Amino acid sequence: MTQGPLNQTSNPLDVAIEGNGFFQVQMPNGTIAYTRAGQFGLNNQGTMVTANGDPLIPTITIPANATAVTITQYGVVNATLAGQQNPSQLGQIQLATFPNPGGLESMGSNLLQPTLSSGDAVLDNPGGSEGLGTLQQGYLENSNVDVVSMFVQMVLAQRAYEANSKVVKAADDMYSQVNNMTH
């Protein structure tokens, strides 16, 4: 649940959360899932969707004649429409947080679902009073896994296993010798 580094992209619909919070997405079965993966695109109706085609909640539809889309750090989505000077506000992205985010259950594909231990979702605008992070348009959050430290941890675990295995073998040899002495 720690923040990963942000990576700049050229897609105006890529949105990274800088800080706490999750995007809400509508699953095909009608349930709501949560994700930090902000690689959004548009479906054939112009609705902002995830890479899997799941719509963002609240639903934001971008007209086909939009020439530029901006997403503020507080989640306001604006678009400049062809033939208009001033941008039009299309919607507001909301984020969700949980009393215990570590209790969320992974559904695969970067999606999470709430459990009894995570608690219910608390919704607010990015940068709002609930302590939610802000949005960065044109960025994606990279993985927060540090490969080098994970590899070091794996080697340490393997060495500890080998050491324990040798202790068990030595104890087994000692018990075997003790049993042979009594005969």
Side-chain angles (χ1 to χ4, degrees):
M1 294 295 169
T2 58
Q3 175 84 43
L6 299 184
N7 183 32
Q8 189 168 13
T9 68
S10 58
N11 183 358
L13 296 180
D14 286 345
V15 184
I17 302 171
E18 193 166 18
N20 297 326
F22 300 90
F23 296 110
Q24 307 168 86
V25 294
Q26 179 83 44
M27 300 303 296
N29 64 5
T31 61
I32 297 175
Y34 301 89
T35 184
R36 284 187 64 87
Q39 188 173 12
F40 297 111
L42 299 177
N43 65 11
N44 54 5
Q45 284 98 29
T47 302
M48 284 181 69
V49 295
T50 65
N52 296 334
D54 303 319
L56 181 66
I57 300 175
T59 304
I60 295 176
T61 303
I62 297 175
N65 66 342
T67 56
V69 176
T70 58
I71 301 171
T72 70
Q73 64 178 346
Y74 303 112
V76 178
V77 181
N78 296 310
T80 304
L81 305 177
Q84 291 184 358
Q85 288 285 76
N86 297 326
S88 301
Q89 183 172 332
L90 302 178
Q92 168 76 51
I93 296 174
Q94 283 193 320
L95 297 180
T97 188
F98 294 86
N100 175 23
L104 292 169
E105 181 182 334
S106 174
M107 301 168 59
S109 300
N110 290 327
L111 296 173
L112 302 163
Q113 64 186 5
T115 64
L116 288 174
S117 65
S118 71
D120 292 333
V122 178
L123 306 179
D124 197 6
N125 294 338
S129 60
E130 295 295 333
L132 292 165
T134 55
L135 302 182
Q136 299 295 322
Q137 182 183 17
Y139 286 83
L140 289 176
E141 182 179 4
N142 288 343
S143 170
N144 60 0
V145 175
D146 181 1
V147 177
V148 173
S149 84
M150 289 293 127
F151 189 71
V152 167
Q153 294 296 324
M154 184 182 74
V155 169
L156 290 174
Q158 185 178 3
R159 294 229 172 104
Y161 174 79
E162 289 171 359
N164 287 339
S165 176
K166 287 179 183 174
V167 167
V168 169
K169 183 172 179 359
D172 190 43
D173 290 346
M174 282 187 349
Y175 289 133
S176 176
Q177 288 176 0
V178 169
N179 284 338
N180 289 337
M181 285 183 191
T182 59
H183 290 291

